[in-house]
Amino acid sequence: MHMYMAAAAGASTPFNFCRQVPHADVFSSWMARRPAPHVGGSGSGAAASFAPTFGAAALRQHLDFFDYLSDDQGGPPPPAAVPGPSFVPPPAMAPVEPIVPDAAAAGYPRSVAAAVVAGEGSARTTDRIAFRTRSDDEILDDGYKWRKYGKKSVKNSPNPRNYYRCSTEGCNVKKRVERDKNDSRYVVTMYEGIHNHVCPGTVYFAAQDAASGRFFVAGMHHPDLN
DNA sequence: CGGGTTTGACCGGCGC
DNA sequence: GCGCCGGTCAAACCCG
């Protein structure tokens, strides 16, 4: 029999959240509904790896907050696809607003957005994801450490847009945060890139070998909970 | 003193 | 070519 213990250490999380925060269920619900090719340029790995970290329980929490991004016109089309025939939205899941490709939603140059809309994966050079949460606090604690490098007022919006970069050396993940111009109760967050480092504060579970008594890293998730 | 924030300047893409 | 706009830079500043 193994004895498990938690060790404070980093863990390689493929996408941008490494901590279960009140906002995370929004992200995961969105990930579950989102067609994989839009999630990351390298494929569906991000979605597949992310889902176990934020499970069904998370999906059932914090229902009053929302879901997902809006585009600059505020009238995105309905979701084009739902990944996997077996996916069933949790009964209490908050209504999900229509999904549009994140590049278009994030206000990227029209050429890039159009390429993403058209499914031209080669046109994009980074992974981008955007979503919207109802929050008084614009800074959601996603477990990573961010450094603000810019603030800009954007046209047609009364709210400024803030620019953040991952503080970890060598990691060029960025995020933009701004209040929804149509409803300032909501915060629109857009991530760009994949962290290339472990997440500060993520818990590893270590296991002890009964024979030798030695500890070893068993993974990010408690084996009994897998 | 080191690291993060602020903020005006600068730059490049895009539309006209 | 010009102007607008979004994104980034970097110096000054702030804070623990």
Side-chain angles (χ1 to χ4, degrees), chain A residues 19-20 70 125 133 186:
Chain A
R19 174 179 303 174
Q20 183 165 342
S70 60
T125 56
T133 58
Y186 291 95

Side-chain angles (χ1 to χ4, degrees), chain A residues 76-183:
Chain A
V82 174
S86 62
F87 174 75
V88 178
M93 180 184 283
V96 173
E97 288 195 359
I99 292 173
V100 297
D102 46 20
Y108 268 74
R110 249 179 285 247
S111 57
V112 176
V116 174
V117 171
E120 300 170 13
S122 60
R124 41 184 314 173
T125 56
T126 58
D127 297 274
R128 300 189 190 109
I129 181 172
F131 59 96
R132 194 174 74 153
T133 58
R134 191 163 73 190
S135 171
D136 293 331
D137 191 359
E138 294 183 16
I139 307 300
L140 52 84
D141 182 9
D142 55 14
Y144 287 97
K145 196 175 180 184
W146 301 94
R147 183 176 62 233
K148 189 175 184 176
Y149 68 90
K151 180 182 178 180
K152 193 82 175 175
S153 60
V154 293
K155 192 184 178 185
N156 297 328
S157 175
N159 308 311
R161 175 179 294 167
N162 295 295
Y163 299 88
Y164 298 88
R165 230 195 301 265
C166 183
S167 293
T168 302
E169 187 175 353
C171 179
N172 60 354
V173 176
K174 301 169 189 173
K175 73 172 180 179
R176 306 187 323 204
V177 179
E178 64 182 295
R179 291 221 163 258
D180 191 314
K181 67 178 187 295
N182 296 318
D183 188 344

Side-chain angles (χ1 to χ4, degrees), chain A residues 38-68:
Chain A
H38 285 161
V39 171
S42 57
S44 58
S49 309
F50 183 86
T53 306
F54 303 95
L59 294 176
R60 289 189 290 268
Q61 297 174 355
H62 306 285
L63 303 174
D64 63 333
F65 86 14
F66 143 98
D67 37 291
Y68 175 44

